[in-house]
Amino acid sequence: MSSKKESNTAKTKSPEVKKPDGKLPGKGDHIFLVDGSGYIFRAYHALPPLTRKSDGLPVGAVSGFCNMLYKLLQDTKDEFEPTHLAVIFDHSGKSFRNELYADYKAHRPPAPEDLVPQFALIRDAVRAFDVPSIEMEGFEADDLIATYACQAAANGARVTIVSSDKDLMQLVNGNIDMLDTMKLKAIGPAEVEEKFGVGPDKVVDVQALAGDSVDNVPGVPGIGIKTAALLINEYGDLDTLLERAGEIKQKKRRENLIEFADQARISRDLVRLKQDVPVTVGLEEMDIKTPDPVKLIGFLKDMEFTTLTKRVASELGVEADEVPAAGEHPADAPVIVEAKGPTERGGAPGAVSPSVEAPIDPDAYETVTEPGALKAWLKEAKDQGFMALDTETDSLDAMAARLVGVSIATRPGKACYIPLQHGSGEGLDFDGNGTPEQISLDEALGLLKPVLEDPAVLKIGQNLKYDLQVLKRHGIDVAPIDDTMLMSYALDAGLHGHGMDELSKLHLGHEPIPFKEIAGSGKSQITFDQVPIPKATRYAAEDADVTLRLYMILKPRLVAEKKITVYETLERPLVPVLVDMEHEGVKIDRQVLSRLSGEFSQKMGAYEEEIYELAGEEFNIGSPKQLGEILYDKKGLSGGRKTKTGAWSTDAAALEELAAQGHELPQRILDWRGLSKLKSTYTDALPEYINKETGRVHTSYSMASTTTGRLASSEPNLQNIPVRTEDGRRIRTAFIAEKGMKLISADYSQIELRLVAHIAGVKELKDAFADGLDIHAMTASEIFNVPIKGMEPSVRRRAKAINFGIIYGISAFGLANQLGISRSEAGDYIDLYFKRFPGIRDYMESTKESAHKNGFVETIFGRKIHLPEINSKNGARRSFMERAAINAPIQGSAADIIRRAMIHMAGALSRVDLKARMLLQVHDELIFEAPEKETEKTCKLVCDVMSKAAEPAIALSVPLDVEANAADNWDEAH
DNA sequence: GTGTGGCA
DNA sequence: TGCCACAC
């Protein structure tokens, strides 16, 4: 141990002090386990908000944490002679306790916005101190601490838990104590007894009875810590107490103990810490090491903690000025430290600070063809904790694409391309020596996998969902990730698109090499594996380089513009969820579709004959131009409208008008059109999308193509499968469950109207939803002043149209069209509606006003939707944007809620061990495939997760009702 | 109001 | 490219 002390005062870094000695703590050793999460919150709340001077990055909690950790290391050194130390964090997301009790910690508000980005920085700080930073998915820090404490104590070591969390007091015994560094107070068995009225071994029983409002542990009503201690001291333990509860004299207390016995037992399971977590980091890895001065001081300097930097430097005997600022944060973010202006350039010589502005030069990229070279790139990524990543494939279909190559960027301007399957096509010979030189696919994947799956290496990409999909099919589960496309979306939805080329031009002023230029276009287009490797390197490595540069611009903006929570809660975590859904696909019955297709063509043939007969000639029914001429010019039907291009309008509304006049031809055209659409778009097109390997259809969801936050589905679009007409619904019967499985469809009832009630604060609507009333009938009754009982269906229909109109930012014009009434009549309806629900008019007016003033609106979760043309001089255009402004918070909030539900769902299902897979999302509906035997349980869980999806971020003033049904096909389940 | 896709 | 039709 004395040698340790010497190394603690070593003057410079040397190889041996960095090397862990790997000694397992035993007799005579003293291990310190720091409750990192507790530390973070105390640091955050105890200190005034502090931001980094150069760029405003919030670093208050980081500063407090570093000071505490440093002080701990200093203060304890002489007093306790610690030999081992680790900092243990909660893993984000839920723990196994939510499985026991869904509401566990449900009252916890989300972390403050300016604290969120500091979590990763604090983990970096721990690493900079060369202290192990430990966390595990599914477990809380307390359980890890309990496991390590017991292991070490069993081995004869002394243990000190650095925390003031009362939940950890159950662990205290002769070998284990606690230290509250804030109050500089040691907590031993006596202190525990003072707090709980019982010894540490009975703390769990007392907590089980008393409950905990902070963690939402239910306990037994009417029993606090005092009473609980009294009872436990009298009866010995919880089980005996509950068995003999009948003996208790006080009536209410007796009744509650009997009624809530099970709840007390669940509470005990919640508070009892797990001591057998399958930890992956061993105690021997916690031996105290002297930090590497370059790493530690580099980090502190980068954070701009001047005082602490000086203190640490003098302690380590290093000149702080000689150490460059880290310039980036391992495992999290290469944050730009330098200022933008050219005058700020030319800092300390040798300081390597990545610059987004260094010119982009495709000739500078490296082609990696040797395993050794790949290893070097990956080592750099691992050492710095991040890399930009891009994959090249031979197809745009992620479920069919072959991986052709991978590109990596580690710094702006420093990027490489690793060709993997070039030239495998026939007759290709790029260098005249047979196939191109490249690392074999298997060897490259073997090298890439540990880094791409390393939780300490951040993978940065542009639309990474695609790359994740491809790599998943090659056995690699990439994590953690950051996505520049989604960052741009969280920041700038509505302002512009979020594709790489567009972002590059916009933010970097650089136009990336167009794909066309290397692969050609049209008929002569080649796939990427056929592109000569030098050309491929220029293109592929540039994409990784550009992505990294975009990241360095967009990531700080998320913090500065307070969109980090939107990104972290609604964008980033959805990526792996969608990867799984797309990967899973949905089963489609080919026979059903082909039968329908035949049936539809037969019917269409019959209609065609009839149509030609009525028209007096044969023509292309599918051509609006020809059709208009036949109907209006030839047949001379009246009342035709012209489109803005001057052609006759032949849309459904126009044809329906003609049909209503008693003409037969337009009705037949409508019938024909309906079938034609069903046949071409669905029955004929869908089978083409059945994947050869999986036999299922894998749609692709785009996360950043709507302005409001909705997803969009394409190739094929499974969000517009017919449901309205009988013929259309038959297409849904082709979507089926695997044998032994069922499809479950769960949808939100009236979610957008509920959000209107919540956002606009309309009491009558909120009450109606709370009471489960028929909302359209209720609206009709209110505005037309008729009783709900015995209401005419047409009256309810009108109210329903108005309700929809509200969601869309109603205009008299639109409502008139919808209901087939005059504009003035529609205007009267709207007036009536607003008179009855003035809150909605107020909401619309204030939304428009703020949209005009700010140029954007927001959802209830803070998602921003920009409306750059809201102040357009063109009146029609402006009105259009105003309606979009009214609709966006409603549609967008609903989209946010279902995104949250999807993100929560994956964990919720696996926690209770249900095998169901989420397959599809259709805006307010989620479709699952579940084992027949689990359908009931799955329906319940799905409804539960969906209806609570807004919590705990938002407390909605309306309930979110969800309906779920199971069946063999989608039509019956819906 | 928000999308995707087929067709001329 | 515009029109039309399907979904929520």
Side-chain angles (χ1 to χ4, degrees):
Chain A
M1 216 152 46
S2 60
S3 66
K4 281 266 165 46
K5 281 206 146 178
E6 280 169 29
S7 67
N8 267 343
T9 52
K11 298 270 186 251
T12 52
K13 75 163 176 173
S14 61
E16 57 269 31
V17 296
K18 278 198 78 186
K19 195 173 138 216
D21 74 353
K23 185 178 174 305
L24 199 65
K27 208 158 173 54
D29 287 329
H30 192 168
I31 181 165
F32 279 70
L33 299 167
V34 181
D35 169 15
S37 298
Y39 244 27
I40 291 180
F41 285 96
R42 297 180 85 194
Y44 178 77
H45 289 109
L47 296 159
L50 172 72
T51 54
R52 183 160 65 180
K53 213 171 167 190
S54 60
D55 64 356
L57 179 78
V59 290
V62 185
S63 163
F65 191 94
C66 287
N67 277 296
M68 281 204 268
L69 187 57
Y70 179 70
K71 197 159 174 290
L72 178 72
L73 287 164
Q74 290 301 308
D75 289 355
T76 55
K77 208 160 61 184
D78 303 315
E79 202 177 329
F80 302 106
E81 301 197 345
T83 57
H84 294 69
L85 186 143
V87 181
I88 295 151
F89 293 101
D90 286 329
H91 191 85
S92 52
K94 294 189 173 177
S95 72
F96 71 92
R97 285 193 174 75
N98 295 94
E99 198 177 316
L100 294 170
Y101 188 66
D103 286 345
Y104 178 68
K105 293 199 174 174
H107 293 172
R108 286 275 166 95
E113 182 147 282
D114 58 334
L115 178 55
V116 173
Q118 299 190 62
F119 289 129
L121 291 172
I122 288 170
R123 285 163 174 76
D124 297 343
V126 176
R127 278 188 284 266
F129 275 95
D130 240 322
V131 167
S133 152
I134 298 168
E135 61 191 277
M136 259 179 94
E137 193 173 349
F139 298 99
E140 293 179 59
D142 289 358
D143 298 305
L144 290 163
I145 290 172
T147 301
Y148 284 124
C150 294
Q151 277 179 11
N155 213 26
R158 267 199 76 188
V159 179
T160 296
I161 298 166
V162 183
S163 173
S164 57
D165 188 341
K166 62 181 176 358
D167 296 339
L168 286 163
M169 292 185 183
Q170 56 182 275
L171 297 170
V172 171
N173 59 34
N175 296 321
I176 304 174
D177 61 7
M178 290 175 65
L179 179 66
D180 180 347
T181 48
M182 295 290 248
K183 297 181 189 134
L184 278 173
K185 195 177 115 191
I187 300 165
E191 286 76 16
V192 175
E193 183 141 11
E194 190 186 322
K195 179 155 179 78
F196 283 101
V198 293
D201 56 325
K202 299 275 187 265
V203 163
V204 171
D205 289 350
V206 167
Q207 286 184 290
L209 286 170
D212 184 334
S213 59
V214 180
D215 290 348
N216 213 23
V217 172
V220 173
I223 296 186
I225 285 190
K226 284 240 170 73
T227 317
L230 208 75
L231 289 167
I232 292 299
N233 280 326
E234 189 176 338
Y235 290 87
D237 59 49
L238 182 68
D239 289 319
T240 314
L241 168 67
L242 294 176
E243 260 167 50
R244 296 171 49 195
E247 301 170 12
I248 289 166
K249 292 187 192 68
Q250 296 89 338
K251 184 162 178 282
K252 197 71 211 162
R253 189 177 294 174
R254 181 176 64 240
E255 284 172 2
N256 277 342
L257 278 167
I258 292 169
E259 187 184 344
F260 294 99
D262 280 342
Q263 191 166 298
R265 292 192 190 96
I266 291 176
S267 299
R268 182 173 52 186
D269 290 342
L270 288 175
V271 295
R272 184 189 282 146
L273 298 177
K274 218 170 152 56
Q275 300 182 2
D276 55 358
V277 176
V279 291
T280 49
V281 179
L283 288 167
E284 70 280 2
E285 291 171 60
M286 300 178 187
D287 63 311
I288 294 176
K289 299 174 273 287
T290 300
D292 172 353
V294 175
K295 204 159 110 190
L296 179 53
I297 294 171
F299 176 83
L300 296 172
K301 269 186 132 173
D302 184 31
M303 288 290 105
E304 299 169 18
F305 301 152
T306 43
T307 315
L308 189 59
T309 305
K310 274 187 213 146
R311 279 173 58 192
V312 170
S314 90
E315 173 67 25
L316 293 174
V318 178
E319 268 303 320
D321 291 346
E322 290 171 9
V323 181
E328 75 273 337
H329 311 299
D332 180 56
V335 171
I336 311 159
V337 180
E338 62 188 298
K340 276 225 153 194
T343 50
E344 297 290 328
R345 281 297 168 76
V352 270
S353 203
S355 168
V356 195
E357 291 162 36
I360 292 175
D361 176 13
D363 291 323
Y365 303 134
E366 182 184 326
T367 306
V368 173
T369 56
E370 300 291 337
L374 176 54
K375 281 181 200 160
W377 279 92
L378 293 173
K379 183 179 184 308
E380 186 180 355
K382 193 173 159 66
D383 286 347
Q384 66 176 7
F386 66 87
M387 64 194 264
L389 170 75
D390 189 29
T391 57
E392 302 301 335
T393 63
D394 61 358
S395 154
L396 282 172
D397 176 357
M399 278 303 291
R402 264 169 17 111
L403 184 61
V404 171
V406 171
S407 48
I408 288 173
T410 52
R411 302 220 160 220
K414 188 172 180 202
C416 69
Y417 178 61
I418 309 134
L420 296 172
Q421 300 202 71
H422 277 259
S424 46
E426 240 176 287
L428 279 164
D429 184 2
F430 298 136
D431 54 4
N433 296 316
T435 47
E437 206 174 302
Q438 55 195 344
I439 308 174
S440 84
L441 182 65
D442 283 346
E443 183 170 16
L445 290 177
L447 291 171
L448 284 163
K449 186 175 162 82
V451 180
L452 295 187
E453 294 185 348
D454 188 337
V457 181
L458 180 74
K459 272 67 67 175
I460 300 161
Q462 163 77 13
N463 189 17
L464 262 178
K465 181 163 69 63
Y466 178 84
D467 309 73
L468 263 58
Q469 193 77 258
V470 172
L471 289 163
K472 185 188 174 85
R473 289 181 32 244
H474 288 81
I476 298 178
D477 288 309
V478 182
I481 58 144
D482 252 333
D483 192 318
T484 48
M485 176 185 79
L486 300 181
M487 292 181 173
S488 170
Y489 187 56
L491 289 162
D492 296 328
L495 279 186
H496 51 72
H498 312 280
M500 175 150 65
D501 290 3
E502 190 168 355
L503 296 180
S504 177
K505 272 180 249 178
L506 201 67
H507 297 299
L508 307 173
H510 170 80
E511 187 157 352
I513 303 166
F515 186 75
K516 271 198 300 200
E517 202 172 298
I518 58 149
S521 63
K523 218 173 161 249
S524 61
Q525 185 166 6
I526 54 172
T527 51
F528 205 81
D529 56 307
Q530 299 166 302
V531 174
I533 289 176
K535 242 177 158 179
T537 293
R538 292 169 58 85
Y539 172 85
E542 182 188 68
D543 278 2
D545 186 11
V546 165
T547 302
L548 185 57
R549 292 172 196 244
L550 287 173
Y551 178 87
M552 296 174 71
I553 289 172
L554 296 172
K555 182 77 196 274
R557 274 189 60 202
L558 285 175
V559 177
E561 297 172 35
K562 295 208 193 305
K563 283 292 156 272
I564 190 88
T565 304
V566 167
Y567 173 74
E568 290 289 349
T569 60
L570 298 169
E571 302 295 340
R572 187 159 85 135
L574 189 59
V575 175
V577 175
L578 290 177
V579 167
D580 286 344
M581 287 170 68
E582 294 179 3
H583 191 86
E584 195 67 28
V586 61
K587 189 171 181 183
I588 285 184
D589 189 332
R590 233 182 239 280
Q591 265 81 48
V592 169
L593 290 179
S594 102
R595 224 180 16 246
L596 281 174
S597 181
E599 204 178 300
F600 290 163
S601 6
Q602 224 169 6
K603 278 203 210 168
M604 282 169 71
Y607 285 140
E608 275 159 33
E609 277 181 36
E610 218 178 315
I611 286 164
Y612 297 151
E613 180 75 21
L614 289 162
E617 67 174 291
E618 295 201 2
F619 66 102
N620 186 342
I621 308 171
S623 160
K625 183 164 163 282
Q626 291 184 33
L627 177 62
E629 283 161 11
I630 295 272
L631 288 173
Y632 296 103
D633 296 334
K634 177 167 175 191
K635 305 284 290 181
L637 301 189
S638 58
R641 289 175 286 115
K642 294 274 181 107
T643 65
K644 57 182 164 192
T645 48
W648 289 108
S649 170
T650 65
D651 64 14
L655 296 182
E656 272 160 20
E657 214 170 294
L658 294 173
Q661 291 172 24
H663 300 291
E664 206 174 342
L665 179 56
Q667 184 56 53
R668 287 291 156 268
I669 306 267
L670 281 168
D671 297 338
W672 181 91
R673 263 195 195 161
L675 290 174
S676 160
K677 163 83 180 174
L678 292 178
K679 184 166 146 54
S680 66
T681 316
Y682 303 107
T683 60
D684 290 354
L686 277 176
E688 300 295 313
Y689 287 103
I690 296 175
N691 184 285
K692 286 201 177 67
E693 274 172 61
T694 65
R696 293 164 71 102
V697 171
H698 307 264
T699 183
S700 169
Y701 288 101
S702 120
M703 292 180 66
S705 67
T706 70
T707 49
T708 54
R710 270 193 181 181
L711 299 181
S713 154
S714 65
E715 292 171 86
N717 181 358
L718 297 184
Q719 290 181 322
N720 70 342
I721 304 300
V723 71
R724 248 183 49 250
T725 64
E726 178 58 36
D727 275 336
R729 271 214 307 281
R730 293 169 70 193
I731 291 167
R732 291 196 175 215
T733 63
F735 289 73
I736 55 173
E738 204 69 56
K739 216 169 154 43
M741 311 277 271
K742 293 272 179 193
L743 285 188
I744 294 173
S745 158
D747 68 307
Y748 284 109
S749 148
Q750 305 285 359
I751 187 168
E752 294 192 346
L753 216 44
R754 284 169 199 262
L755 286 168
V756 171
H758 170 82
I759 296 170
V762 186
K763 186 169 184 313
E764 297 88 336
L765 288 179
K766 288 198 277 192
D767 290 348
F769 280 123
D771 298 341
L773 300 183
D774 173 342
I775 198 69
H776 300 312
M778 176 269 178
T779 312
S781 160
E782 289 281 346
I783 57 180
F784 299 124
N785 206 15
V786 293
I788 293 180
K789 244 184 126 177
M791 177 181 291
E792 295 257 340
S794 67
V795 176
R796 183 178 179 280
R797 194 176 61 85
R798 269 180 288 170
K800 187 175 172 183
I802 298 171
N803 278 334
F804 269 96
I806 295 300
I807 294 167
Y808 297 158
I810 207 152
S811 72
F813 178 80
L815 185 62
N817 265 342
Q818 183 66 38
L819 285 175
I821 56 179
S822 74
R823 265 167 72 180
S824 69
E825 202 179 346
D828 291 343
Y829 285 177
I830 294 170
D831 285 343
L832 273 173
Y833 186 96
F834 283 153
K835 213 171 220 160
R836 198 59 204 80
F837 303 116
I840 293 192
R841 167 178 289 175
D842 295 344
Y843 161 72
M844 292 184 162
E845 289 306 319
S846 62
T847 303
K848 277 193 267 183
E849 193 184 302
S850 100
H852 279 293
K853 186 168 140 246
N854 303 317
F856 65 84
V857 292
E858 284 185 336
T859 68
I860 54 177
F861 296 94
R863 177 190 296 284
K864 212 171 193 173
I865 295 118
H866 294 267
L867 300 148
E869 290 185 87
I870 186 85
N871 291 312
S872 166
K873 298 264 186 307
N874 175 337
R877 182 104 201 117
R878 194 172 57 245
S879 297
F880 179 79
M881 296 314 295
E882 284 173 351
R883 290 195 290 277
I886 291 166
N887 171 260
I890 303 165
Q891 190 182 111
S893 299
D896 290 348
I897 286 174
I898 198 161
R899 277 180 181 233
R900 291 174 62 93
M902 295 166 76
I903 291 163
H904 298 166
M905 195 68 69
L909 285 169
S910 75
R911 266 197 298 281
V912 293
D913 231 25
L914 287 171
K915 309 273 179 306
R917 306 293 184 122
M918 188 158 48
L919 307 184
L920 302 174
Q921 189 250 43
V922 192
H923 309 311
D924 66 355
E925 175 187 16
L926 293 173
I927 289 115
F928 302 81
E929 190 171 29
E932 209 159 343
K933 286 184 184 144
E934 294 180 4
T935 47
E936 210 168 302
K937 264 183 119 178
T938 306
C939 282
K940 250 187 108 206
L941 179 88
V942 163
C943 288
D944 193 55
V945 171
M946 286 174 75
S947 52
K948 291 186 179 134
E951 303 166 19
I954 299 277
L956 286 177
S957 53
V958 282
L960 289 181
D961 287 0
V962 177
E963 198 189 319
N965 287 301
D968 290 324
N969 68 65
W970 191 6
D971 181 43
E972 288 173 53
H974 186 70

